[in-house]
Amino acid sequence: MPQGEWSTGPAQPRNEWTGHAQPGNEWARPAPETVVFGSAAGQGGGGGTPPDGYYLRRPPQPQPQPQPQPESQRKGSGALVAGVAVLALLVGGGAGALGGYLVADSSNAPVTNALDQPTADQTSSSAPAGSVEAVAQKVSPTVVQLQVEGRQAAGEGSGFIISSDGLIVTNNHVVEVAADNGKITAVFADGSQVPASIVGRDPTSDVAVVKAEGKTGLPTVELGSSDALKVGEGVVAIGSPFELSGTVTSGIVSSLHRPTRAGGEDGSQATVMDAIQTDAAINPGNSGGPLVNMQGQVIGINSAIYSPQSSASSQGGSVGIGFAIPIDQARRTADEIVKTGKATQTILGVSVRDNQDGGALIVDVTGGGAGEQAGLKSGDVVTKLDDRRIDTSDALVAAVRSHKPGDKVRLELSNGSRTVDATLAGQTVEPQ
């Protein structure tokens, strides 16, 4: 692919990892709707009294008009008022429950007071398997907070431990501001903190690996399979939203194979990920933390949220639409980074844009690339990859990215008019 099609935007200052949906992308909405990418928890404020609309007010009631009373009733009113006053003094000035006991005694009913009972035994049995509690107990010790400082930006995000000697997987956008002689501090669940350094990072998949210094015997996560996920399946997200480390939220898998740009407004198609969509609450600072199934296995890396009210200067919060990188894709990338320090990007060797009538329109074919070898030509419209429908250019990029180099795929062109078989290629990613 030409370099311009496959480069990411520059690092953004803290609280400015945001991006508006691109034209043609299925997330296109009128501004200012945004997909927000954020490791930094912004400092917000605002107090005072909410507007009147936040309160349920009882409408004014008409005041009852005094009615004339018979002479016989007027004569006894003073004694009745005096009696009420005496009762009120007894309740207020004596033991607080005295009036209540007097009323209860009149019916001869036994009185039970929770304040007089011994404290209940709060010891509970172990959390039931498959519960959010059990997942939190298993995974929370393996999740870390990453505090990052660079020359022009600072922020914080999350990560999870993959080796007992301190290897941690996170998002590239969490640590990229520290790539040029910056500072990373890893804060563990027990409160201990140590410096960390970048092992390698891949802006195209938004995956990075860092190494905590001087740590041994750390608990590690168990990696699951994102290919086995089903829509509606329960999931748990763990991380440090808005600097609140160790936060646990739960939800379900809302959708699978959702094309999402990891670079937001400045991201090219090189940054499109084949995302897992979830309604588990994910907020700025959750980036890089694990999304796990109900067996406590990591099935994704929390990376982005859809936030219609956010902007470059004001990060949004969860509206129940969050995105995570599938662990099957992230695992391959992380493994390459650990072994070689670099990652390999899966490519088809074509440049594409949205087709007006749906599909991905091929506008350029790289000489000698996988697309040319398969017989693809400029002007072809890809509408299907294997069994997956392709309705936008980002959908094709995400579908290609879900594979590894060397995989064979079948492409359907122009709604079935022609099919071609292609063997996907790979190219080494060189972070800028």
Side-chain angles (χ1 to χ4, degrees), residues 335-408:
D335 187 54
E336 290 177 342
I337 289 174
V338 170
K339 291 177 179 177
T340 69
K342 296 182 179 180
T344 303
Q345 180 187 48
T346 305
I347 58 173
L348 180 59
V350 297
S351 297
V352 292
R353 63 177 174 83
D354 290 349
N355 185 54
Q356 184 175 0
D357 297 323
L361 174 65
I362 297 176
V363 296
D364 186 46
V365 179
T366 303
E372 184 182 66
Q373 294 178 18
L376 294 175
K377 297 179 176 60
S378 177
D380 285 338
V381 178
V382 180
T383 54
K384 205 170 187 181
L385 187 149
D386 292 335
D387 295 328
R388 180 169 171 176
R389 182 170 63 91
I390 304 299
D391 51 7
T392 66
S393 57
D394 280 0
L396 177 59
V397 175
V400 169
R401 200 63 51 74
S402 68
H403 290 271
K404 61 181 181 294
D407 282 355
K408 298 181 183 298

Side-chain angles (χ1 to χ4, degrees), residues 62 98 130 134 152 179 188 196 232 315 320 327 361 368 373 387 398 406 421:
L98 180 58
Q152 297 181 341
F188 295 86
Q315 291 195 30
I327 196 61
L361 174 65
Q373 294 178 18
D387 295 328
D421 294 323

Side-chain angles (χ1 to χ4, degrees), residues 231-242:
V231 173
E233 181 176 343
V235 288
V236 174
I238 305 178
S240 304
F242 296 106

Side-chain angles (χ1 to χ4, degrees), residues 88-401:
L89 289 173
L90 288 173
V91 174
L98 180 58
Y101 281 121
L102 290 176
V103 174
D105 287 344
S106 65
S107 63
N108 296 321
V111 175
T112 302
N113 191 325
L115 297 175
D116 298 330
Q117 306 303 313
T119 302
D121 183 6
Q122 298 182 12
T123 303
S124 60
S125 59
S126 59
S131 66
V132 175
E133 181 184 359
V135 171
Q137 290 177 359
K138 176 180 178 179
V139 182
S140 291
T142 70
V143 180
V144 300
Q145 182 186 57
L146 296 175
Q147 300 172 350
V148 184
E149 298 179 20
R151 291 181 177 180
Q152 297 181 341
E156 63 88 31
S158 306
F160 53 90
I161 305 168
I162 60 169
S163 73
S164 60
D165 61 347
L167 287 176
I168 299 167
V169 171
T170 185
N171 282 141
N172 171 71
H173 76 256
V174 170
V175 298
E176 64 181 345
V177 297
D180 186 13
N181 297 319
K183 176 183 177 182
I184 302 174
T185 301
V187 183
F188 295 86
D190 63 2
S192 63
Q193 50 185 282
V194 298
S197 58
I198 297 175
V199 176
R201 59 190 184 91
D202 177 15
T204 66
S205 66
D206 201 22
V207 174
V209 179
V210 301
K211 178 72 162 61
E213 299 177 7
K215 279 288 189 178
T216 59
L218 294 171
T220 62
V221 297
E222 179 183 358
L223 299 179
S225 173
S226 49
D227 282 348
L229 286 176
K230 307 295 183 190
V231 173
E233 181 176 343
V235 288
V236 174
I238 305 178
S240 304
F242 296 106
E243 303 183 20
L244 302 173
S245 62
T247 296
V248 177
T249 58
S250 64
I252 63 169
V253 174
S254 303
S255 183
L256 296 168
H257 307 299
R258 187 72 77 187
T260 306
R261 292 188 182 225
E265 184 177 29
D266 297 321
S268 72
Q269 286 179 332
T271 66
V272 175
M273 60 181 175
D274 190 41
I276 302 165
Q277 181 182 328
T278 180
D279 68 349
I282 299 173
N283 288 285
N286 271 116
S287 288
L291 185 70
V292 300
N293 60 21
M294 301 312 293
Q295 289 74 50
Q297 301 164 337
V298 178
I299 48 83
I301 304 175
N302 300 318
S303 299
I305 59 174
Y306 176 72
S307 187
Q309 301 301 324
S310 64
S311 67
S313 60
S314 175
Q315 291 195 30
S318 173
V319 293
I321 304 177
F323 305 98
I325 303 169
I327 196 61
D328 291 344
Q329 177 184 335
R331 180 173 188 162
R332 174 178 63 82
T333 301
D335 187 54
E336 290 177 342
I337 289 174
V338 170
K339 291 177 179 177
T340 69
K342 296 182 179 180
T344 303
Q345 180 187 48
T346 305
I347 58 173
L348 180 59
V350 297
S351 297
V352 292
R353 63 177 174 83
D354 290 349
N355 185 54
Q356 184 175 0
D357 297 323
L361 174 65
I362 297 176
V363 296
D364 186 46
V365 179
T366 303
E372 184 182 66
Q373 294 178 18
L376 294 175
K377 297 179 176 60
S378 177
D380 285 338
V381 178
V382 180
T383 54
K384 205 170 187 181
L385 187 149
D386 292 335
D387 295 328
R388 180 169 171 176
R389 182 170 63 91
I390 304 299
D391 51 7
T392 66
S393 57
D394 280 0
L396 177 59
V397 175
V400 169
R401 200 63 51 74

